[in-house]
Amino acid sequence: MAQKNKEETKIQNEIMLELSKYGIPIRQQSGVFYTEYGSRISIGINGMSDILFFRNDGKPFWLEVKTKKGKPSNEQKKFIETMNKMHIKSGIVRSVEDALILIE
């Protein structure tokens, strides 16, 4: 798994800071990582979105953070589609404004 780029991480941090005013944002790590000793660790669900957010009224949301040019993988698209079918509002966000629109 490629490491997130700094721009995407910056957007993600800005979104989490703003969302904390409206509920509880949780950063969801997923992918394949390696320990300092070279051991492979796989965590999360393939395609799982970056942020799980619980609005103050308890309603959950999944937010996949991308840069303006970033494209979701097929697995990420499928995860978002599956969550939306389960009536858990989910989507791609590229800014704080996008995130606020999604959680309205």
Side-chain angles (χ1 to χ4, degrees):
M1 177 180 178
Q3 187 175 4
K4 278 190 177 295
N5 67 48
K6 288 181 182 181
E7 183 182 356
E8 191 171 295
T9 299
K10 181 179 182 284
I11 295 166
Q12 187 176 88
N13 291 340
E14 291 170 353
I15 289 170
M16 289 190 62
L17 182 62
E18 184 65 23
L19 290 183
S20 68
K21 297 175 184 176
Y22 305 98
I24 302 169
I26 302 168
R27 169 69 176 106
Q28 292 297 119
Q29 293 282 357
S30 65
V32 176
F33 303 91
Y34 294 89
T35 68
E36 64 182 298
Y37 305 107
S39 299
R40 183 175 189 259
I41 299 172
S42 180
I43 61 172
I45 298 167
N46 199 16
M48 185 169 60
S49 293
D50 298 311
I51 300 171
L52 171 59
F53 175 68
F54 291 98
R55 201 168 57 192
N56 283 331
D57 62 5
K59 185 170 180 172
F61 300 84
W62 282 101
L63 297 87
E64 178 60 41
V65 179
K66 294 291 177 195
T67 63
K68 290 189 189 297
K69 295 181 181 181
K71 296 181 182 179
S73 67
N74 288 334
E75 291 85 6
Q76 290 169 331
K77 290 177 191 175
K78 185 176 178 181
F79 182 86
I80 290 168
E81 181 182 322
T82 300
M83 291 299 106
N84 282 314
K85 284 181 182 176
M86 295 172 62
H87 306 287
I88 300 172
K89 194 168 181 186
S90 305
I92 306 292
V93 295
R94 299 175 188 280
S95 65
V96 169
E97 294 77 18
D98 286 352
L100 293 175
I101 290 167
L102 182 76
I103 68 160
E104 285 181 351

